Amino acid sequence: MKLRTVISKIEERIQIHQAEDFDNVGLLCGSWDRDVSGILVCHDALENVVDEAIQKNCNLIVCFHPIIFSGLKSLTGKNYVERAVLKAIENKIAIYAIHTAFDNDFFGVNWGICNQLGLKNVKILQPKKNNLKQLTVFVPKDHSEKVREALFSAGAGNIGFYDECSFTINGNGTFRPREGSNPFSGQQNIRESADEDMISVIFEDYKQGQIVSAMKNVHPYEEVAHQIYSLDNSNQYSGLGMYGDFEEPMEEKDFLKFVKEKFNLEVIRHSDFNNKKIKRVGVLGGSGASGIRSAISRKCDAYLTGDVKYHDFFLAEAKMLICDIGHFESEQFVTQQLFEILSQKFSTFAISKSIEKTNPVNYFI
């Protein structure tokens, strides 16, 4: 199977377009037309992981963190990034990074954390803003279903756990074909009326091109009357972080012991105890101090993340227990999640999970 086909199938499940703007996701190196012999899934595509891929005959590495994050001005092997990329290129190994596309995925990084904790009624902590649009198009009534099917096939009308969502209003439209027109119905210079449906669908902004193209390809009119609006609605099914509830609350110290066991941690850095039970928990894998205020606003009793700085702990304000469990530790389930997703997608070649250590942080206890 060609690399472009493999990546296309991966992105059927994890939409790369939902990554953050600052991120560097997608194919980082490799030829789109090369045949894939095997996939190695890992957290960080370091040099030891590339060696592992060579040993396992995997010529595609699917990693969580992008090994190339900022621009490279040379490839001479002078640092760990250049050494990994150079070795991958020399051995014809492609590297594909998923990072914040999986952070923002409803069933991604933070779903994995919530699942490990056993949280119920989970919701997105920081829903994506300004990425929803609405399309309204006017269609002759006897062509409505054909246009509607084209819109759905292009990805319009997906709302959370529902798809093929639309709204239709029937009415009467008027138009007058002018000189040079080639109307679907009616005659030039004579006002015509038509029994039309107004179809409305919602879609994520990155799908706009494919949706409009699909609509126009099946629409019978020479000039397709349609409008596209940007919505203020937040996308409740895509965004950073999650929060959910325990079935039964627990004491703060019992909660920390529970987290330590579930995540196999050696240490947890945390804010002052508030002498309140933990029922609602917010999570954000990786560097998640930016989600502290959102967790407080969601009335979370505790918040799990990584890379919390000294002054960030003051933001708890005796309202919430802030827990820094470590960057890698908060993302430790990602490799298994990606391995399971790819194993379901591909059966014609081997999918391997890296066994190499890539966490650069060590603890002396």
Side-chain angles (χ1 to χ4, degrees), residues 4-279:
R4 67 172 66 255
T5 303
V6 171
I7 290 176
S8 176
K9 288 183 176 295
I10 293 173
E11 292 179 1
E12 288 175 358
R13 167 58 186 84
I14 304 170
Q15 296 290 339
I16 206 72
H17 302 281
Q18 64 187 353
E20 296 295 304
D21 292 339
F22 66 80
D23 206 2
N24 189 35
V25 295
L27 185 62
L28 304 184
C29 69
S31 172
W32 288 96
D33 292 318
R34 185 168 295 150
D35 288 319
V36 175
S37 60
I39 300 177
L40 181 66
V41 183
C42 69
H43 202 91
D44 300 277
L46 303 182
E47 188 177 11
N48 59 332
V49 174
V50 177
D51 287 333
E52 183 182 11
I54 296 170
Q55 190 270 324
K56 293 181 176 178
N57 193 34
C58 294
N59 64 347
L60 170 60
I61 296 174
V62 175
C63 55
F64 180 61
H65 289 145
I67 184 66
I68 304 173
F69 196 77
S70 53
L72 290 176
K73 294 186 177 181
S74 64
L75 271 176
T76 60
K78 62 180 176 292
N79 57 46
Y80 78 96
V81 173
E82 291 186 14
R83 286 193 295 274
V85 175
L86 194 59
K87 179 168 286 190
I89 292 173
E90 289 174 341
N91 288 276
K92 297 183 178 180
I93 295 173
I95 299 177
Y96 179 86
I98 210 118
H99 204 206
T100 56
F102 203 50
D103 280 313
N104 280 311
D105 193 281
F106 191 90
F107 294 106
V109 177
N110 299 295
W111 170 269
I113 299 173
C114 290
N115 188 55
Q116 186 71 11
L117 293 172
L119 298 179
K120 307 297 182 183
N121 306 315
V122 296
K123 297 180 176 65
I124 297 292
L125 181 67
Q126 297 177 302
K128 262 189 173 297
K129 298 179 179 179
N130 304 317
N131 85 323
L132 291 178
K133 291 189 175 183
Q134 181 177 17
L135 167 70
T136 299
V137 59
F138 299 87
V139 191
K141 189 171 182 61
D142 56 358
H143 283 73
S144 288
E145 187 57 28
K146 189 174 184 180
V147 171
R148 197 179 290 110
E149 286 294 334
L151 291 170
F152 294 156
S153 296
N158 294 343
I159 303 176
F161 301 123
Y162 297 84
D163 61 9
E164 300 191 4
C165 302
S166 69
F167 188 75
T168 303
I169 300 175
N170 182 248
N172 186 265
T174 65
F175 59 94
R176 184 171 68 174
R178 300 177 64 184
E179 203 72 32
S181 64
N182 182 27
F184 168 70
S185 63
Q187 301 178 41
Q188 288 184 356
N189 301 314
I190 297 177
R191 182 193 300 164
E192 303 287 344
S193 64
D195 187 17
E196 293 182 326
D197 284 338
M198 182 181 77
I199 302 173
S200 294
V201 290
I202 292 175
F203 62 93
E204 293 160 307
D205 55 0
Y206 66 85
K207 299 177 182 177
Q208 180 170 325
Q210 67 197 46
I211 288 171
V212 171
S213 177
M215 174 193 70
K216 288 185 175 181
N217 282 341
V218 299
H219 201 292
Y221 285 174
E222 184 178 23
E223 296 291 343
V224 180
H226 70 285
Q227 295 90 38
I228 295 176
Y229 310 94
S230 294
L231 302 180
D232 287 336
N233 306 52
S234 296
N235 190 339
Q236 300 299 317
Y237 298 92
S238 178
L240 296 174
M242 277 189 150
Y243 66 100
D245 302 318
F246 287 124
E247 290 186 348
E248 297 293 335
M250 61 180 77
E251 300 292 339
E252 290 168 309
K253 288 186 179 179
D254 291 335
F255 169 72
L256 291 180
K257 291 177 182 176
F258 173 77
V259 172
K260 195 172 182 181
E261 177 184 341
K262 285 290 185 179
F263 286 74
N264 193 28
L265 304 175
E266 296 184 10
V267 63
I268 299 177
R269 299 166 63 230
H270 64 86
S271 59
D272 289 337
F273 287 135
N274 302 310
N275 297 316
K276 59 184 291 191
K277 291 188 176 181
I278 307 298
K279 172 74 172 176

